[in-house]
Amino acid sequence: MENMMLPTKRILGAVLSVTAIVSLTACGGGSTGSSSESGLTTIKMVQEWPTGDAQWIPWVVAKEKGYYKAAGIDLDIQVPPNTAATMQYLGTGRSDIAFSGTIDVVSAVGQDAPVTSIARYGNLNNGGIFALKGNPTDPKELVGKTIGTYGDAWSKAQLEIMFKHAGLSLDDVKLVTATDDDVPLLMEKKVDAITGTQMAEGSELSSLGVSDYEFTYSKDFGVPNAPVLNIAANTTWLKNNKALGEKFMQATVKGLNYARSHPDEAVSIFLKNYPKAETKAFATQQWKDVSTLFGPSSTEVTVSDLAQESAVWKELVTAAKQYKVSDQSKAVSEYFSNDLVKE
């Protein structure tokens, strides 16, 4: 494990309190874009995790290559102090845009926070259960086994759905909660299997030389097939800055396409900006895995390719309420907007 500089990032279901978001927003959150000394308009973009990872590459590359500057934007990439801070920053207007967990948007909107998803990040839910080669990952074969997971509501809900789909319950297994990374639990054989995603735990395992691990998709066991991550916006900022938001998305997609066509350079740019974030092996593998979520590398991604589907959001919101990830559900149109991803 010597080549693991920092734990892989956790990307699902940060536990957040939205009461503060709602009250602070009432006091004036969600400002319009501000002008910098360079004459550019500043957009503040908060990330979903307090340490850098290769999933940030599209906007890190777009900033490095000058795509935002050409669009009149000075992108301020904000790194939050913890995962709960992402929605707090966005909801209070401290940030304009966020790279966030999809389920975090569901939780925040369900509690009246002024946020909405503006683009999907990838095309599927690539989460599930991992095990070392030869070990089971099918819920029916995990009865009596020990599973490493995380303390957030969505990780537990996905497991609960998978086991219920198989006619079982979580009482049929023993759960071990990791504080930040469950891969070491698996590598050290302290658990029989772990939960995670292909672009985080899967990437980390591959970077450690474990490319032949076992994996079962949660979406094949009743879990909504919704992208794990998205780009979200403060609704007040979005209302006042639609044209600016469109330019942001166009520049971001330009960065995404460049990074997919030049993966080695993209990883180098990322590590130059965040040298302590990950090992080169991990970042390279992670960006490779993330890139596949947007289709074949030979295919150019368009802004409209990041449009979101109402049916997917409806399924996700219904599941979140059923499994008590969110206490209430609203009209599905309140959770997302495709206004910025129209050609």
Side-chain angles (χ1 to χ4, degrees), residues 25-48:
T25 301
C27 296
S31 62
T32 59
S34 58
S35 297
S36 65
E37 292 182 1
S38 62
L40 304 175
T41 301
T42 300
I43 292 180
K44 297 167 290 184
M45 183 184 186
V46 65
Q47 305 306 295
E48 90 299 11

Side-chain angles (χ1 to χ4, degrees), residues 318-340:
T318 299
K321 183 177 181 180
Q322 180 180 354
Y323 292 93
K324 297 180 172 53
V325 175
S326 177
D327 293 334
Q328 59 177 298
S329 58
K330 300 176 180 291
V332 70
S333 59
E334 294 194 38
Y335 294 89
F336 77 99
S337 169
N338 284 328
D339 286 350
L340 302 187

